[in-house]
Structures are given as structure tokens and as C-alpha cells.
Amino acid sequence: MTLDGVEFIPVDADFEALDHLISEDALNSYEGWTLDRAIPEGGILDASALVPPGDGSGLRTMSIPIDREHAAGGSLVAGDRVDVISVTDGVPTFVATDLEVTGVAAESSGGIGAVAAYHVVLSVNADQALALAGALDSGSLEIVRSTGAETIDVARSESDDA
């Protein structure tokens, strides 16, 4: 992590998450750490956004291009949890569940009435990345917000259908 673009602003506040924000004094203790998600300009840098070097999580980030109407209406935000469903030959299956959204982006492709490209960036392990790549190639996708919902075991949901 570099300090370029990091600006500290004094805050006179008392709220529950205040202890999780990074102070100027504490920043040096995070040397070598990396951000696990994008922090927008003017955003707040808190400890949950940082990953220690060599943490062993093995997680990657993967961009899923998808129409807004198939991604919770385009209302997803970083920090949401989602499930990804693939529909192949009319049969829906869970491809991956309980994934963290690390970013969402829409890029304008023109003037008035132009359709914007939309994609959701997810934190995935190696197996989930392969499963998602296969699903992208073979069928339609639905990204379902599952923040706060019961976790679904992909292997269990497939065996329940058998």
C-alpha cells in the first residue's frame, strides 16, 4: 500500500465503528499490507479493507459482466454478499455462494440513451473462479444479493436436486 492519495481529516465523532478506522499514527503499523477492495475518492479507510502480507487467504478478484437486471437490479455495493446462479438448458444451479462484492462498475458507452456496461467484482477462491468462468461461457447468470441470508452449500444444493 502506498500513501499517495491518502489524506487524513480530523473527525470529532463518537460512533461504534470509530475504533476500526485507520488513524495517521496507526498507519505505519500497516506497512506492506494491501487493500482488498477499492476505496473511492473521499471514502473512509477502515481496517477491514486491509489484508496483511501473506495472509494465506488465497482469494482472488474476478469481474463478472452482467446486465443490471440480473444483478439485483444494479443495486449491489462493495461489501454485499451474493450467490451466483447459472441457467443452462433451462436448469438453474448455484455456481458459487456467499461471495463478497469488492466492487461494482458501470461504464458509459455513449450519449443519451446509450447502454452502460455493468460488471460486479467478486472475491473468489480458485475453484469458484473456474466455476464462474465456465458458467459465464455456457449459460445465463443471475447474481442474487444474499447479505444476511442463510448460507447455501453448493454441493448440498446440487445433491438435493438429484
Side-chain angles (χ1 to χ4, degrees), residues 22 27 35 40-41 46 55 61 67 69 83 86 90 92 101 114-115 125 139 145 149 152-153 162:
I22 306 296
L27 189 61
L35 291 171
E41 184 175 334
D46 65 287
D55 77 337
T61 55
D67 293 331
E69 60 268 20
D83 300 333
S86 176
V101 174
V115 176
N125 65 31
R145 178 184 283 118
I152 298 170
D153 180 17

Side-chain angles (χ1 to χ4, degrees), residues 44-135:
I44 296 174
L45 177 61
D46 65 287
S48 70
L50 296 168
V51 178
D55 77 337
S57 72
L59 294 180
R60 296 140 166 80
T61 55
M62 181 174 187
S63 176
I64 307 294
I66 190 164
D67 293 331
R68 290 174 190 266
E69 60 268 20
H70 296 283
S75 65
L76 296 171
V77 296
D80 273 338
R81 306 301 293 193
V82 297
D83 300 333
V84 180
I85 299 170
S86 176
V87 181
T88 305
D89 296 329
V91 179
T93 57
F94 283 96
V95 177
T97 60
D98 197 32
L99 303 176
E100 181 180 3
V101 174
T102 60
V104 178
E107 300 171 8
S108 179
S109 61
I112 297 174
V115 176
Y118 183 79
H119 64 271
V120 178
V121 181
L122 303 173
S123 183
V124 298
N125 65 31
D127 291 336
Q128 292 164 332
L130 291 175
L132 288 166

Side-chain angles (χ1 to χ4, degrees), residues 27-28 72 81 116 126 150-151:
L27 189 61
N28 288 334
R81 306 301 293 193
E150 176 185 338
T151 302

Side-chain angles (χ1 to χ4, degrees), residues 4 79 92 96:
D4 298 339

